[in-house]
Amino acid sequence: MNLGMSTKMTMPAQKRVIGCLMVLTVSSLCGFAAADQWSQFRGNRMDGIAGTEHPQRWSQTDNVRWSIDVPGEGWSCPVVWEDRVFLTAAVPLTESDSTGPEEYSGGGGSRRDDLTRVNYRWQVMCLDANTGDLIWRQTAREGRPRMERHSSNTYATETPVTDGNHVYAYFGMTGLYCFDMAGNKVWEKDLGSYEMRAGWGTSSSPVLFDGKLFVQVDNEQQSFLVAIDAKTGEELWRVLREESSQYSSPIIWSNSGRDELIVGGMFYRSYDPQTGTLLWQLDMDKGRSSATPLAVGDRLYVGTEYRNRGGADDGGGFLFAIKPGGSGDITPPAGQSQTEHIAWKIERSGIQMASPAYCNGKLYLLERRSGVVHCVDAETGSTVYRSRLPRARAFWSSPWTSGDRVYCVDTSGTTYVLAPDDELNVIATNEIDELTWSTPAVADGAVYFRTASKLYCIDAK
């Protein structure tokens, strides 16, 4: 392979160029492999970057290949493998048992203790991606919930994951379940039931990597991170965590140096996915970890939501860009925003519930209630713009990118399509007009869009 490097280039420079080319090559190959599948929360690489482009415009009828009613409740996201779509739901045994999730803008809400007396079926569904027809539906567990939840949460908020041979459904404190592609239950795992903050429930989705399922079980009693053998359901390792309830999902950061398991909290931590050994940690100065981190090549972006409610987690709001190779405590000294392993740090970044998105060298962060978009230069951390999306409701769903477009879904089911310009440029507004917290899946040119009651397949074909 001719790299076209001058013979005068120094050896360190040659190594940097080769390393960058390797990362770009791997990223290109990953993008190609992801074209027909969206295997876990925010896609195969958990970065919200679609491998194929899809329609920019849609409604409840326009560019809709099919739509189906989805029984029960669930904010879990659909996942796609080739011609199959997988979805989870918690279905009350009678319609009068539960009203399902309620719209919530962040101003209080209620704790649903009464639902612990309702019988549910926790179900996994397999659909034909081309037609929406049900291929199979299996019940993972039937009974009463082990814990209460917030009125706006569900008992099926965690997104399943598939490797094309099995589908793995995690229902928080209800358990972890493995089914084969024909719908047969292969194994199940009870990870225990622990009290969550204020009875809000759970939301952290598992991540699958190298034959292992990684599950973050942060709670008010005994927080831990666990690795499960995907074939057998056997526990491979477990590490205790000094965190209370957190709601973000772990990701794998495959950088030019190594694979790292990144887990959020008031301290962000990196673990060796093979052993659970702690590699580094970063003090976030408190705040709430709800947004899932984002890795793009050799940059990792992590942040916590700013809190000012008089609680033990008051603080946070910072966003960090992290470089590979860190070890031990990589927290910058007071007054510094750059170190050997910290590319930059910004305050009041705007990161809240929705996870950040990356497009054309820019990061996009959505405030929860105000409808404000923060656009940040991914290389420098400088603010490109901070603008409010006209008439936008609250943002809980995470944005995604397809080609040179950014897609942001508010709770009313309206999708704002942004061009990656140096000022806010909304090029389309697509309305579904249904309560929406779930993040869509994108595969083979189609968007699988879940609302409180339906699943839409949006596809110009």
Side-chain angles (χ1 to χ4, degrees):
M1 181 179 181
N2 181 10
L3 298 179
M5 292 184 294
S6 168
T7 55
K8 295 182 180 180
M9 185 177 289
T10 63
M11 185 60 67
Q14 289 180 0
K15 289 181 178 179
R16 286 195 296 272
V17 171
I18 292 172
C20 290
L21 288 172
M22 289 176 65
V23 171
L24 288 172
T25 301
V26 170
S27 298
S28 299
L29 290 173
C30 289
F32 178 80
D36 294 326
Q37 57 217 31
W38 188 273
S39 61
Q40 52 192 345
F41 178 59
R42 305 203 78 204
N44 288 11
R45 299 182 304 275
M46 300 189 77
D47 57 10
I49 300 175
T52 55
E53 294 194 30
H54 57 72
Q56 290 185 20
R57 296 180 181 274
W58 62 81
S59 68
Q60 288 175 301
T61 55
D62 297 333
N63 277 335
V64 174
R65 184 197 295 177
W66 53 258
S67 66
I68 63 167
D69 293 329
V70 178
E73 61 183 55
W75 291 136
S76 59
C77 308
V79 297
V80 185
W81 191 276
E82 295 179 349
D83 60 351
R84 296 192 174 192
V85 181
F86 298 95
L87 201 65
T88 61
V91 183
L93 295 189
T94 62
E95 291 185 4
S96 60
D97 282 339
S98 172
T99 58
E102 303 168 11
E103 187 164 8
Y104 172 64
S105 61
S110 61
R111 172 174 172 164
R112 292 296 302 272
D113 304 79
D114 58 309
L115 296 179
T116 58
R117 299 186 294 274
V118 175
N119 286 317
Y120 278 83
R121 288 193 180 106
W122 283 266
Q123 295 188 330
V124 181
M125 291 166 278
C126 175
L127 307 172
D128 186 308
N130 297 306
T131 65
D133 292 339
L134 180 67
I135 298 175
W136 53 259
R137 184 199 311 269
Q138 295 292 351
T139 297
R141 177 180 179 267
E142 181 176 321
R144 294 183 178 182
R146 294 178 172 178
M147 61 189 304
E148 57 281 320
R149 65 164 173 80
H150 194 278
S151 58
S152 61
N153 201 355
T154 74
Y155 285 123
T157 295
E158 296 81 5
T159 297
V161 57
T162 181
D163 56 10
N165 296 311
H166 299 90
V167 58
Y168 308 91
Y170 176 55
F171 294 102
M173 304 304 180
T174 303
L176 176 64
Y177 303 87
C178 170
F179 293 86
D180 64 22
M181 300 302 271
N184 301 305
K185 186 186 289 186
V186 179
W187 54 259
E188 61 183 86
K189 185 79 171 179
D190 187 349
L191 294 174
S193 179
Y194 307 93
E195 181 182 351
M196 293 294 291
R197 176 177 178 172
W200 288 342
T202 60
S203 67
S204 181
S205 300
V207 58
L208 177 65
F209 176 74
D210 195 26
K212 301 176 184 65
L213 284 162
F214 302 99
V215 186
Q216 176 183 357
V217 190
D218 288 346
N219 55 78
E220 298 300 297
Q221 295 175 268
Q222 183 181 318
S223 296
F224 60 92
L225 175 70
V226 62
I228 305 293
D229 187 298
K231 288 184 178 179
T232 65
E234 295 180 3
E235 186 172 312
L236 299 175
W237 54 256
R238 176 184 297 217
V239 293
L240 298 180
R241 286 171 47 78
E242 296 179 1
E243 297 283 351
S244 57
S245 301
Q246 303 294 334
Y247 307 94
S248 57
S249 300
I251 68 165
I252 294 291
W253 180 25
S254 294
N255 55 58
S256 58
R258 61 193 177 189
D259 297 319
E260 303 183 38
L261 176 61
I262 307 300
V263 184
M266 287 192 284
F267 278 80
Y268 254 87
R269 294 182 175 91
S270 168
Y271 300 87
D272 183 334
Q274 301 301 323
T275 63
T277 301
L278 181 66
L279 301 175
W280 55 259
Q281 69 178 26
L282 171 65
D283 189 345
M284 304 300 293
D285 193 20
K286 301 184 178 180
R288 182 193 296 167
S289 181
S290 298
T292 293
L294 172 67
V296 181
D298 269 2
R299 284 292 181 273
L300 173 69
Y301 304 98
V302 304
T304 56
E305 177 184 0
Y306 174 72
R307 300 287 292 171
N308 185 21
R309 302 287 185 86
D313 59 354
D314 275 6
F318 298 99
L319 183 70
F320 291 83
I322 302 174
K323 296 181 285 187
S327 63
D329 189 348
I330 65 169
T331 306
Q336 291 189 26
S337 59
Q338 292 181 323
T339 66
E340 180 183 2
H341 297 294
I342 303 296
W344 50 259
K345 167 190 175 183
I346 57 176
E347 299 181 17
R348 300 294 180 92
S349 63
I351 192 169
Q352 294 187 355
M353 307 299 288
S355 304
Y358 175 91
C359 185
N360 287 16
K362 299 182 178 70
L363 298 173
Y364 295 83
L365 304 105
L366 304 175
E367 291 188 10
R368 183 170 67 249
R369 293 187 296 273
S370 65
V372 170
V373 181
H374 294 248
C375 180
V376 175
D377 186 299
E379 181 63 28
T380 65
S382 60
T383 298
V384 179
Y385 65 79
R386 179 182 178 274
S387 301
R388 190 184 190 282
L389 285 165
R391 298 179 298 279
R393 302 286 293 276
F395 285 100
W396 300 83
S397 170
S398 294
W400 76 94
T401 61
S402 175
D404 60 351
R405 298 290 181 261
V406 183
Y407 296 80
C408 311
V409 184
D410 73 6
T411 57
S412 70
T414 299
T415 304
Y416 296 85
V417 185
L418 313 182
D421 297 335
D422 290 340
E423 59 184 19
L424 181 64
N425 181 8
V426 181
I427 60 175
T429 303
N430 305 323
E431 296 183 4
I432 294 289
D433 195 24
E434 294 183 30
L435 182 61
T436 305
W437 280 28
S438 177
T439 300
V442 183
D444 200 20
V447 179
Y448 298 88
F449 192 105
R450 182 179 191 172
T451 69
S453 62
K454 289 181 178 293
L455 178 67
Y456 293 83
C457 176
I458 297 164
D459 187 353
K461 293 179 291 187

